[in-house]
């Protein structure tokens, strides 16, 4: 592994994203502040381009391609927001993109990815080795593989959201960030350590898949089976080499919340803040609410990571089905 990226790399990423990514709003909720006794600042990445923060990392990574890489384009495997982020970034930068998606991925996600102009190659999750297939296609076509989290340019791109947040709010007492493979959490920690050194940084993951918490406790990357949770953006089996090294150094703790707490967070966002937030996007707020007794009056940053959810599924979750 090369040297770990630093906050300077986040600053460079922010310059590349200028004029391409949205500067998403930081929303407040008097109801949330009154109910939980803290001062919440919600960084709303559900309003980012393509509906999640993943645009930041993908666009940053693709903008660093040299001429030959641009010509051949980018390749990624994902059934979720990273696929759309790479597809949209490639289109904006005028390069080809190839995305491997499972045959049984939701039709809406396939359509969205194709809608951004990417070529989609389907594979069978049960019989085909996704990584081997991606590697083979990357070699055949000379395309550059962009992983969803374990890449310096991806994680420093993700870190630009918290840079914007703290530049707007000033110093925070605590920051809550959702955790899958750790791209968002590690980049956020780089920004928080630089801009608000006293701020506690917490990663929140689904209780069904607490590999990050186990890894922090064990001091090494712990692998688990794919967890069963409604937080489909955080169904990762392990942290990355780069993300873990930064998380281990800069993150205060990793905590977990249940699927029921995620639904409560989604309902709060819908009812009180009029926002559609996907299940994974509720992780950070659910974690902050759980800690509220320890945060009286504190200035608390909460990352709302995305809003891409099938509306039928969303309605069923809110109805308690
Ligand atoms: C990818 C994703 C996450 C998890 O991010 P990591 O960088 O993998 O930790 C959280 N929320 C949403 C909406 C995502 O798309």
């Amino acid at each position: 592994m090369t040297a770990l990226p630093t906050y300077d790399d986040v600053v460079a990423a922010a310059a590349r994203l200028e004029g391409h990514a949205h500067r998403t709003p930081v929303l407040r909720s008097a109801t949330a502040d009154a109910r939980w006794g803290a001062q919440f600042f919600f960084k709303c990445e559900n309003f980012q381009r393509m509906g999640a923060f993943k645009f930041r990392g993908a666009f940053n990574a693709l903008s660093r391609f040299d001429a030959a890489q641009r010509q051949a384009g980018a390749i990624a495997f994902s059934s979720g927001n990273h696929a759309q982020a790479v597809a949209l970034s490639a289109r904006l930068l005028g390069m080809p993109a190839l995305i491997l998606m499972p045959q049984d991925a939701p039709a809406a996600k396939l359509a969205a990815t194709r809608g951004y102009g990417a070529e989609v190659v389907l594979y069978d999750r049960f019989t085909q080795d996704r990584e081997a297939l991606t590697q083979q296609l990357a070699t055949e076509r000379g395309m550059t593989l962009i992983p969803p989290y374990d890449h310096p340019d991806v994680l420093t791109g993700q870190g630009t959201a918290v840079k914007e947040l703290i530049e707007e709010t000033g110093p925070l007492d605590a920051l809550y960030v959702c955790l899958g493979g750790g791209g968002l959490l590690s980049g956020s920690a780089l920004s928080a350590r630089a801009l608000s050194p006293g701020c506690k940084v917490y990663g929140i993951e689904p209780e069904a898949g607490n590999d990050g918490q186990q890894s922090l406790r064990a001091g090494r990357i712990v692998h688990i089976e794919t967890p069963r949770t409604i937080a489909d953006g955080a169904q990762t089996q392990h942290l990355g080499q780069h993300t873990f090294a930064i998380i281990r150094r800069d993150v205060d703790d990793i905590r977990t919340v249940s699927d029921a707490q995620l639904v409560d967070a989604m309902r709060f966002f819908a009812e009180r803040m009029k926002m559609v937030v996907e299940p994974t996007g509720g992780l950070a707020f659910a974690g902050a609410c759980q800690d509220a007794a320890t945060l009286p009056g504190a200035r608390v940053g909460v990352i709302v990571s995305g809003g891409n959810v099938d509306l039928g599924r969303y309605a069923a979750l809110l109805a308690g089905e």
Side-chain angles (χ1 to χ4, degrees), residues 50-54 80-82 148-149 154 158 177-186 232-234 236 239 243 247 278-283 304-308:
M50 55 60 59
F53 71 88
K54 290 248 173 34
N81 289 329
H82 181 61
Y149 52 86
V154 172
Q158 319 304 30
V177 183
C178 52
L179 173 60
L184 182 62
L185 179 60
S186 57
D232 49 3
T236 38
L239 300 177
T243 61
I247 288 169
E278 62 184 277
T280 317
L283 278 167
V304 181
S305 58
N308 292 328

Side-chain angles (χ1 to χ4, degrees), residues 33-54:
D33 291 2
R35 194 179 293 175
W36 286 283
Q39 300 174 66
F40 293 106
F41 298 88
F42 297 95
K43 179 66 169 168
C44 293
E45 288 294 299
N46 50 317
F47 297 132
Q48 186 50 262
R49 291 187 83 156
M50 55 60 59
F53 71 88
K54 290 248 173 34

